[in-house]
Amino acid sequence: MGKPKPRRSPKQLLGSEGVSEVVVVSTCNRVEFYVAAEQAAQGFGAVNEFLTTRLAEPPGSAFFQLPTAAAVRHLFRVVSGLDSMVLGETEILGQVKKAYAAASAGKTTAKHLNKFFQRAFNVAKDVRTNTNITRGSVSVGSAAVELAEKIFGKLSTCHVMILGAGEMSELTAGALSARGVKSIFVANRSYDRAVTLAEKMKGKAIHFEDWPREFHDVDILIGSTAAPHHVLTAAQLGPIMRTRPDRPLFCIDLAVPRDIEPAVNDIEGVYLYDIDALQARADQSMNVRKQELVICEQMIERHAVEFGEWLAGGWTQAGVRYSEAVSGGQS
């Protein structure tokens, strides 16, 4: 075997002929190189060589390159959430800002990429402010959070209980946890799985048969068991709710068949939503976002033309992207 090639850092791209500026955007499902070079071919060649060295083989079909105008439009679409797995999501903007800040701190940017990324952030703000591309909840988890906030306001005082430890309940609880709920209890027929999920959520695992004892102070209940029958009925819940007047309970039933008897929704102070209702809210929001696409693309095109006019006569801006799909990843 030959001696392995040394790993190179993105900053070493600056040592390539004609390359003067570099920003690398790396997320769970994309790695993108934005390069300012005297000639496009020099930028493309430098990144291709860099990736070949890192991978010990040519990057292959997942690698594609965009010259000046296309690279500008691409970044503007990325930061605006139009190139994400979830249309209009805003997490990618923060990730790009961190990447740019790191490049700036590492002194790998100058006039061209500074102007480019600062304009991109302005584009993202313009799109978010003047369109509905980020409005509404487009997943079951985010729809649940939106409803919870309508019921309780801030979630920092809320206690959450999860019955079952499935993937959907984990995603929904994770969305609630990200909004700062006070505590999370996890009950599952397999106690080991309850412990595993509770550790992820920084919560407390309880044995499934013990969940009624912990229920009095619960504000949000997530049902996601595989039980063939209701695990929470109106007959069980009615007496509990009478001991906690003026304290609402939000029930999120993600199970099929249902964990929570529909009749609990008739109890004063109880709000029950099942997975179908939550998915319908999410679908409605997604349809609104899709209708905004034309407006967003028009705004991005205007900004791209303006930036192209500024760039005219200067160096070639080459954007090169290398993406490796990650199953279940979100940009």
Side-chain angles (χ1 to χ4, degrees):
M1 293 179 60
K3 185 177 180 180
K5 295 181 179 180
R7 294 177 66 85
R8 303 171 65 192
S9 69
K11 193 170 183 179
Q12 288 180 276
L13 278 169
L14 294 180
S16 302
E17 182 180 357
V19 175
S20 59
E21 304 174 49
V22 179
V23 174
V24 181
V25 176
S26 179
T27 72
C28 60
N29 73 334
R30 73 171 75 231
V31 179
E32 300 186 354
F33 293 78
Y34 293 88
V35 177
E38 294 178 6
Q39 297 179 10
Q42 292 174 324
F44 295 144
V47 175
N48 195 24
E49 181 184 353
F50 173 81
L51 290 173
T52 299
T53 301
R54 294 271 301 207
L55 301 172
E57 62 182 46
S61 60
F63 173 79
F64 66 86
Q65 54 195 31
L66 302 174
T68 308
V72 169
R73 289 174 176 81
H74 174 74
L75 180 61
F76 289 178
R77 296 185 82 258
V78 167
V79 296
S80 300
L82 305 191
D83 193 57
S84 298
M85 295 178 66
V86 178
L87 180 64
E89 63 90 12
T90 56
E91 182 181 1
I92 185 62
L93 177 60
Q95 293 170 327
V96 173
K97 284 184 174 181
K98 287 182 180 180
Y100 171 67
S104 181
K107 302 187 183 304
T108 65
T109 65
K111 175 182 176 181
H112 294 85
L113 291 190
N114 286 338
K115 184 77 171 181
F116 183 28
F117 277 82
Q118 288 161 11
R119 171 57 72 93
F121 302 147
N122 288 335
V123 172
K125 182 178 180 180
D126 191 12
V127 169
R128 291 200 317 273
T129 302
N130 296 301
T131 74
N132 292 317
I133 198 66
T134 63
R135 307 290 167 80
S137 303
V138 292
S139 70
V140 168
S142 58
V145 169
E146 186 178 80
L147 287 168
E149 289 179 329
K150 287 182 178 180
I151 296 169
F152 300 104
K154 292 184 179 180
L155 302 184
S156 57
T157 61
C158 291
H159 301 271
V160 179
M161 177 176 286
I162 307 171
L163 302 181
E167 180 181 1
M168 188 62 73
S169 61
E170 179 178 343
L171 291 172
T172 304
L176 290 165
S177 179
R179 293 299 180 96
V181 295
K182 188 169 185 178
S183 65
I184 295 179
F185 297 93
V186 182
N188 192 63
R189 295 192 186 280
S190 168
Y191 183 68
D192 289 343
R193 290 192 65 188
V195 170
T196 299
L197 180 55
E199 288 177 348
K200 287 184 180 180
M201 298 287 107
K202 297 183 179 179
K204 176 184 177 182
I206 56 179
H207 291 280
F208 192 80
E209 60 272 16
D210 294 336
W211 71 261
R213 302 176 192 172
E214 304 282 354
F215 193 73
H216 184 273
D217 293 325
V218 169
D219 302 289
I220 302 171
L221 174 71
I222 301 173
S224 185
T225 76
H229 53 75
H230 296 136
V231 297
L232 178 64
T233 65
Q236 290 174 300
L237 186 57
I240 296 175
M241 293 302 295
R242 287 193 289 272
T243 68
R244 40 181 280 174
D246 302 320
R247 185 173 183 177
L249 175 68
F250 179 29
C251 297
I252 305 168
D253 194 344
L254 305 177
V256 180
R258 303 299 181 219
D259 274 343
I260 304 172
E261 185 181 25
V264 306
N265 203 40
D266 298 328
I267 300 173
E268 185 175 357
V270 177
Y271 303 85
L272 171 63
Y273 283 81
D274 62 28
I275 191 170
D276 293 333
L278 292 172
Q279 188 62 60
R281 289 179 65 92
D283 291 344
Q284 183 178 18
S285 295
M286 180 56 75
N287 288 334
V288 170
R289 293 190 180 191
K290 288 179 179 179
Q291 292 170 8
E292 295 292 293
L293 268 176
V294 173
I295 298 174
C296 294
E297 297 286 10
Q298 290 173 345
M299 295 173 67
I300 288 171
E301 180 63 21
R302 175 174 57 80
H303 282 287
V305 170
E306 290 175 357
F307 185 78
E309 291 172 351
W310 174 83
L311 194 60
W315 289 351
T316 298
Q317 189 86 13
V320 182
R321 179 184 180 192
Y322 172 70
S323 298
E324 291 179 308
V326 176
S327 178
Q330 182 176 356
S331 61

